[in-house]
Amino acid sequence: MKSAVETLNPTRVRLTVEVPFEELKDSLDAAYKKINQQVTVKGFRKGKIPARVIDQRFGRGAVLEEAVNDALPKFYTEAVNDAELSPLGQPDVDITELKDGETLNFTAEVDIRPALEIPDYSGIEVEVDAVEVSDEDVDKSVEQLRERFASTSPVERAAEDGDVVTVDLQAKVDGEVLEDGVAEGVSYTIGSGELLDGIDDAVKGLEAGGEATFTSELKGGSAAGRESEVTVKVTQVAARELPALDDEFAQLASEFDTLDELKADSRKRLAGMKQFDQATQAQERVLDKLLELVEVPVPEKLLEDEVNTRKHNLEHHQLGQMGLTLDKYLEIQGKTAEEFETETREAAVKGIKTQFVLDELVKKENLNVNQEELTEHLMRRAASSGMSPDQFAQAVVEGGQVPLLVGEVARGKALALVVEAATVKDTNGEIVDLDDEDEETEAAEGSAEAVEGSTEAADENTEA
């Protein structure tokens, strides 16, 4: 077999392959054997029909077609390996010549990973938010904890902001009460925004036994998204009472003995959260700088596949679970279909470029993924998916997705390597040290999460 490669553009090639007919022998034998098992000819036992009889009765062309279909994948793969190509997706194959007893010639056009040059990235500099925890931040955190320990007691007065009311609800659409539009004994905190739009104004000023009607768009149920006339009846008004901010509250709400100790712990936790956010910000900004340094051509078909994959996952998985249509989602987001299309395409382009660049870095830096790293990543993915580690691992293995997870971890390590080499300063001009062992581990894990699933179509096409 002889093959040659023609570069059509930086991400697409055409393979021209010439196969001497004798190299089709195994496929021809397999074709005769297969046809033998499928047909019957009077006078011959099944599976024992001579080749010349099959040619006479069913045509040599049918045998050649079966043989070529069997042989093409093998010769295509051989040509790809000889040329050291990294194909993306399935090739477009065209048989240019097939002469019985002489030769098989074909071409195969396929998208490939572009050849990339990764420049010196040690000079990357980025700025991130400073880690600053104010007294107001601490007070807000403690106040949120205080809210969780609030108690309620019934009062005989009109409902006010912050009160907890118990209400009965009845929703009508076009004058008809909905089957799933009746609810009794619903507890609602005025001002929380957790029920229907308009309910706050309706119940404020009502005492127990009071009733009001308002119009609101239903958020769920059989008439989700439709305007409804809602009748609300208040059956109880209860005032919320917050515990006093003192040492007794600290003992009730935490393991600490004093309020000062509780506040000190809140400050420490908030600082840790802001440090994590800072590290994530550093990863994102370093990645953006890295992508600016590398010229990355994007295969058009791969881009279209990626865009369609993202749209499908959003519409049929994420929004479907929330009971939203794409149109409703865009309305809530205040976006037009054109803006959504542009944003999705831009995100897909970045996702593909990210995968290509980080995969090239993995090769350049000879990065490997060990079993412990893969297991840790698998457990995080399982937690985010709501599955147990065993269930998630089984699904990954059965779906043949292990190489995809390995790729995610490897790309995360590559990004962590670039972040480590970069100069990161905060908005105060101070150097941010990301070399701490625990922070480095978190950076690698966060990097893996940052790139995971970002190029689903690209991953699938690479595996293909």
Side-chain angles (χ1 to χ4, degrees), residues 145-158:
L145 182 62
R146 189 179 175 211
E147 291 276 351
R148 288 167 50 192
F149 284 84
S151 60
T152 60
S153 57
V155 292
E156 295 182 1
R157 60 165 171 78

Side-chain angles (χ1 to χ4, degrees), residues 131-150:
V131 173
E132 297 174 343
V133 180
S134 67
D135 291 342
E136 290 77 11
D137 292 331
V138 175
D139 290 343
K140 182 179 179 182
S141 175
V142 173
E143 189 64 26
Q144 289 173 342
L145 182 62
R146 189 179 175 211
E147 291 276 351
R148 288 167 50 192
F149 284 84

Side-chain angles (χ1 to χ4, degrees), residues 67-220:
V68 168
N69 289 339
D70 175 74
L72 276 178
K74 178 185 72 173
F75 292 125
Y76 165 73
T77 301
E78 187 177 334
V80 164
N81 292 337
D82 288 346
E84 298 182 343
L85 300 175
S86 298
L88 298 168
Q90 297 300 320
D92 295 324
V93 177
D94 181 28
I95 298 175
T96 55
E97 186 176 25
L98 176 58
K99 289 186 177 179
D100 194 357
E102 296 183 25
T103 186
L104 163 65
N105 298 336
F106 69 91
T107 62
E109 289 189 15
V110 67
D111 286 332
I112 60 169
R113 281 178 174 267
L116 302 179
E117 288 292 331
I118 306 295
D120 179 16
Y121 49 80
S122 61
I124 290 178
E125 294 186 10
V126 298
E127 184 181 75
V128 296
D129 295 335
V131 173
E132 297 174 343
V133 180
S134 67
D135 291 342
E136 290 77 11
D137 292 331
V138 175
D139 290 343
K140 182 179 179 182
S141 175
V142 173
E143 189 64 26
Q144 289 173 342
L145 182 62
R146 189 179 175 211
E147 291 276 351
R148 288 167 50 192
F149 284 84
S151 60
T152 60
S153 57
V155 292
E156 295 182 1
R157 60 165 171 78
E160 302 172 355
D161 269 326
D163 285 343
V164 178
V165 291
T166 304
V167 297
D168 297 337
L169 297 166
Q170 183 185 83
K172 293 181 180 179
V173 172
D174 297 332
E176 296 291 331
V177 178
L178 299 171
E179 289 186 10
D180 55 355
V182 177
E184 296 180 349
V186 177
S187 180
Y188 175 66
T189 301
I190 300 175
S192 67
E194 295 174 350
L195 268 178
L196 298 167
D197 293 338
I199 192 171
D200 288 339
D201 291 336
V203 297
K204 277 191 294 188
L206 295 181
E207 297 183 17
E211 188 175 297
T213 300
F214 63 100
T215 300
S216 181
E217 183 178 297
L218 297 178
K219 296 180 180 180

